Amino acid sequence: MRTVELDERDRAILRELMRDGRLSNVDLADAVSLSPSACLRRVKALEASGIIAGYHAEVSRARAGLGLTVFIGLRVSGHSQETSSDLERRLLAIPAVVACYLISGTDDFLVEAAVPDLAGYEQLLLGQILAIPAVVEAHSTFAIRTVLSGGPVPLDHWR
């Protein structure tokens, strides 16, 4: 995937939007010292290029009744594109899965899940994840406290 070159104004726009995605165009333009029309053109170009992939609300897991975050390392049998695609499809269909990565090392996938409690985790692990035919091993790590989640993307490499 080809990266897009950004100037300092584009990086300033991205920093402001990562801090507050609901910022009005007028306030954003003021924050980055552009006219509203020039700012809107740049934001639309960043969206069209795919640099801005979307906007979303950050939901408090604890307030939503999902007090336990678990990271689950998975080993799979039969390393192939077909196995990987099937596993990914099945994992993405599980509502508790909030992130999933194909990784290198001892494990093949790393899954982040948000569940209400240990009973919810047990149901997720035994009832859904270990029920996937390709999964041969799973081990879990529980988050004690979230220090940073979904933090801003570093933009300094464009300098």
Side-chain angles (χ1 to χ4, degrees):
M1 181 175 286
R2 189 171 82 61
T3 60
V4 177
E5 291 297 318
L6 302 180
D7 64 17
E8 185 51 44
R9 287 276 166 82
D10 290 330
R11 291 192 299 273
I13 288 169
L14 291 172
R15 278 192 292 275
E16 291 297 322
L17 288 175
M18 284 189 289
R19 187 182 56 73
D20 181 0
R22 293 186 56 156
L23 199 59
S24 73
N25 185 61
V26 171
D27 290 338
L28 177 60
D30 186 51
V32 299
S33 302
L34 285 173
S35 70
S37 60
C39 184
L40 185 59
R41 276 193 303 275
R42 283 180 177 254
V43 169
K44 294 295 182 191
L46 291 166
E47 291 171 348
S49 72
I51 293 287
I52 295 177
Y55 301 89
H56 70 276
E58 184 176 341
V59 175
S60 166
R61 292 179 188 185
R63 297 292 244 167
L66 301 168
L68 184 61
T69 297
V70 60
F71 300 92
I72 308 164
L74 301 178
R75 287 191 41 226
V76 300
S77 64
H79 294 97
S80 70
Q81 182 62 50
E82 183 180 329
T83 299
S84 181
S85 295
D86 181 60
L87 181 73
E88 291 169 23
R89 181 182 54 75
R90 290 172 186 261
L91 288 171
L92 293 176
I94 300 171
V97 172
V98 296
C100 180
Y101 304 92
L102 175 64
I103 60 173
S104 66
T106 305
D107 294 326
D108 300 305
F109 287 86
L110 181 63
V111 174
E112 179 183 356
V115 294
D117 49 28
L118 283 173
Y121 165 68
E122 180 182 18
Q123 190 284 323
L124 169 68
L125 182 67
L126 299 178
Q128 295 178 283
I129 292 178
L130 291 176
I132 299 171
V135 174
V136 295
E137 185 178 318
H139 66 272
S140 302
T141 302
F142 299 94
I144 295 170
R145 176 172 48 99
T146 299
V147 176
L148 176 66
S149 177
V153 173
L155 302 172
D156 295 337
H157 66 285
W158 268 300
R159 291 185 185 197

